[in-house]
Amino acid sequence: DAGVTQSPTHLIKTRGQQVTLRCSPKSGHDTVSWYQQALGQGPQFIFQYYEEEERQRGNFPDRFSGHQFPNYSSELNVNALLLGDSALYLCASSLSAGNNRGQFFGPGTRLTVL
Amino acid sequence: GENVEQHPSTLSVQEGDSAVIKCTYSDSASNYFPWYKQELGKRPQLIIDIRSNVGEKKDQRIAVTLNKTAKHFSLHITETQPEDSAVYFCAGGYQKVTFGTGTKLQVIP
């Protein structure tokens, strides 16, 4: 039984570029949430997807967008990258609609913006 | 929105002693409070969680207590071991969870 997987593991981009991160949820899970974790801080909630729709959103600008596919996998897109977007991006999956109970995290994608 | 505060930011204990981490939350609608352990360079791992209809929950050496009236919850680790050394995050919320700032626990052999 595969856990939550994310790709790529590491990514280096320059300011102004766009990036797409990918997440496959744990088998049987239908809800995917994305978090940004800056160095030395706790994960910050970006948004959550269920039934291919954005259900909840944190305090992130519209440059951050996402998508969920029929197989429950998800993408996080960030446009017009800023230096401050450098962080570990974590995907978490759970079972049950509209809440985060029993979330399991993926290994994360380390994004560096130069 | 929800605001979760966590104390202390760092904690050093001798092996075998107990460790306590405390968190407070602001939104009375919050009904789910998970705790995560994150080792250096690894993903956060769910170690225990509690729902608002329960006051205490135990799992071997780990226990969590919740005081809804005071809006605070705590993590208790007994008989600490060196492998308990990590950063611990509390979180709370209703439909989305807000994380605390983390506690770096060091267990000294």
Side-chain angles (χ1 to χ4, degrees):
Chain A
D1 176 26
V4 182
T5 60
Q6 292 185 243
S7 63
T9 305
H10 296 85
L11 204 52
I12 299 175
K13 293 286 188 177
T14 57
R15 282 180 299 174
Q17 285 189 311
Q18 178 265 343
V19 68
T20 298
L21 310 182
R22 296 176 175 82
C23 171
S24 291
K26 179 179 170 64
S27 178
H29 283 184
D30 56 10
T31 303
V32 174
S33 301
W34 286 93
Y35 293 83
Q36 179 194 68
Q37 186 176 26
L39 199 62
Q41 297 184 19
Q44 299 292 312
F45 178 78
I46 302 175
F47 43 55
Q48 180 187 81
Y49 277 85
Y50 171 69
E51 289 189 339
E52 303 179 50
E53 291 188 357
E54 183 182 292
R55 292 291 296 259
Q56 292 284 334
R57 189 177 183 93
N59 295 324
F60 280 81
D62 293 344
R63 298 187 298 108
F64 290 77
S65 63
H67 187 77
Q68 186 180 35
F69 299 94
N71 66 353
Y72 307 119
S73 66
S74 177
E75 288 183 349
L76 164 65
N77 301 292
V78 187
N79 296 321
L81 285 168
L82 304 173
L83 295 179
D85 294 332
S86 296
L88 179 68
Y89 288 84
L90 294 162
C91 163
S93 73
S94 57
L95 175 64
S96 66
N99 64 53
N100 294 279
R101 296 174 183 181
Q103 284 189 112
F104 293 85
F105 281 86
T109 293
R110 173 72 62 185
L111 172 65
T112 301
V113 182
L114 302 176
Chain B
E2 176 65 280
N3 182 44
V4 176
E5 295 190 355
Q6 183 172 350
H7 302 280
S9 57
T10 60
L11 180 60
S12 292
V13 299
Q14 291 291 328
E15 181 178 359
D17 288 349
S18 295
V20 180
I21 302 171
K22 298 181 179 181
C23 291
T24 61
Y25 63 98
S26 61
D27 190 350
S28 57
S30 291
N31 63 354
Y32 178 62
F33 305 92
W35 286 86
Y36 288 86
K37 174 184 180 182
Q38 188 174 29
E39 297 177 54
L40 191 62
K42 296 189 176 181
R43 74 189 77 186
Q45 287 188 304
L46 179 67
I47 56 173
I48 195 167
D49 57 12
I50 191 167
R51 291 167 174 73
S52 59
N53 59 346
V54 175
E56 183 177 1
K57 183 177 179 180
K58 289 184 178 180
D59 183 3
Q60 300 182 351
R61 297 185 297 108
I62 294 174
V64 58
T65 59
L66 171 65
N67 183 325
K68 289 176 57 181
T69 302
K71 294 184 188 173
H72 66 70
F73 55 113
S74 301
L75 177 71
H76 304 252
I77 306 174
T78 58
E79 301 173 17
T80 54
Q81 302 168 2
E83 51 265 38
D84 294 331
S85 296
V87 178
Y88 291 80
F89 292 100
C90 64
Y94 176 57
Q95 290 190 324
K96 63 181 176 76
V97 291
T98 299
F99 279 73
T101 50
T103 296
K104 184 176 182 180
L105 173 64
Q106 181 184 20
V107 180
I108 303 168

